[in-house]
Amino acid sequence: ESSQRAVELSGRLPAREQALVKGHHALARGLRGLAGGEDGPARLREAEGTYRALIATDSGVAEAWYGLGDALFHVPLNRDSAQASVDRMSASLQAFRRTLALDSTFHLAYSHLITMYQGLSVSNSGVVLDGERILLVADSAGVRAAGGVAGLTAKQSAARAIGFELARAWSRADQDATAPVLTLAQGFFGAGMPDSAVATIDRALERPSLRTPGLTLWSGIYRFYA
């Protein structure tokens, strides 16, 4: 309702801001639609088109790149062929990275990228990172294209390392938020390094602004496994 009202009041805004308002409304409808009530993927495609049109005229708008990445990120994977889904994931990843290149404090882009890189570091995901694009490795031909088993392992390790670096960058960009701390700690834990997860949270707890019950609880949980 809020985004609909924003669209209704957007007529006096400059063209760029009007596009951002309309893109956000389509994105909001799309995300709501995924839970039922309307065709979420169609609204996400509408948002994608709005953001692409804006980027075509002004490629320096971080919010437009983020909106594009978010719209692509949330389209269900079963809507297209496997290759089309992977291509969409690649475009989403590139859009989020462009967002941070334009504005390193755009915090929402960090969480999406970290999620993507964590997924790309898993051995049975069926996809792998290859530079700035994602490869489908669901069959032997895909594995060969990725450099064989050794190439897959190296690319998975590279994705994990990028995810860790992004989590650290997010922590630096938003020093008083617990979300990046937890994301970094969860990444260490998922990689089988509970000691590093404990150390990450304990360092954060030294900051008065981060001494929250939630972080204290997670410190105890990770310490149990360490």
Side-chain angles (χ1 to χ4, degrees):
E1 292 176 359
S2 296
S3 63
Q4 175 62 51
R5 185 59 176 154
V7 171
E8 294 167 358
L9 297 172
S10 66
R12 291 172 292 177
L13 293 174
R16 184 180 75 172
E17 281 66 32
Q18 285 192 47
L20 289 174
V21 170
K22 292 175 181 177
H24 177 77
H25 181 50
L27 186 58
R29 290 180 64 193
L31 294 174
R32 184 183 66 178
L34 293 178
E38 64 176 303
D39 188 352
R43 300 287 75 77
L44 292 174
R45 297 290 194 192
E46 178 185 340
E48 176 190 348
T50 300
Y51 288 124
R52 285 192 184 279
L54 174 54
I55 288 168
T57 61
D58 188 347
S59 62
V61 184
E63 188 173 350
W65 283 104
Y66 172 78
L68 174 61
D70 205 25
L72 293 166
F73 180 87
H74 287 287
V75 174
L77 294 177
N78 60 0
R79 295 287 295 188
D80 302 304
S81 67
Q83 186 59 55
S85 294
V86 169
D87 290 343
R88 189 168 60 248
M89 291 169 60
S90 289
S92 177
L93 183 146
Q94 292 161 13
F96 286 135
R97 291 203 67 94
R98 178 63 173 160
T99 303
L100 292 179
L102 291 168
D103 182 359
S104 63
T105 67
F106 209 113
H107 303 155
L108 289 171
Y110 285 108
S111 60
H112 286 74
L113 275 173
I114 292 166
T115 296
M116 297 182 81
Y117 281 116
Q118 287 177 340
L120 291 166
S121 70
V122 178
S123 60
N124 61 351
S125 65
V127 290
V128 71
L129 180 68
D130 184 29
E132 284 296 302
R133 66 192 181 111
I134 298 172
L135 292 180
L136 182 65
V137 290
D139 54 26
S140 57
V143 173
R144 286 196 299 273
V149 175
L152 281 177
T153 301
K155 288 175 169 59
Q156 288 156 2
S157 297
R160 183 179 300 109
I162 294 172
F164 281 139
E165 183 50 42
L166 281 168
R168 294 187 183 99
W170 187 14
S171 296
R172 292 192 295 268
D174 197 356
Q175 296 185 5
D176 293 326
T178 60
V181 175
L182 281 174
T183 298
L184 180 57
Q186 288 164 359
F188 280 127
F189 186 74
M193 296 183 283
D195 287 345
S196 295
V198 171
T200 297
I201 293 183
D202 285 353
R203 280 196 300 270
L205 288 172
E206 294 174 0
R207 296 176 57 86
S209 60
L210 295 177
R211 288 176 192 157
T212 64
L215 279 188
T216 302
L217 173 62
W218 278 108
S219 176
I221 292 172
Y222 291 137
R223 200 176 302 279
F224 172 81
Y225 286 100

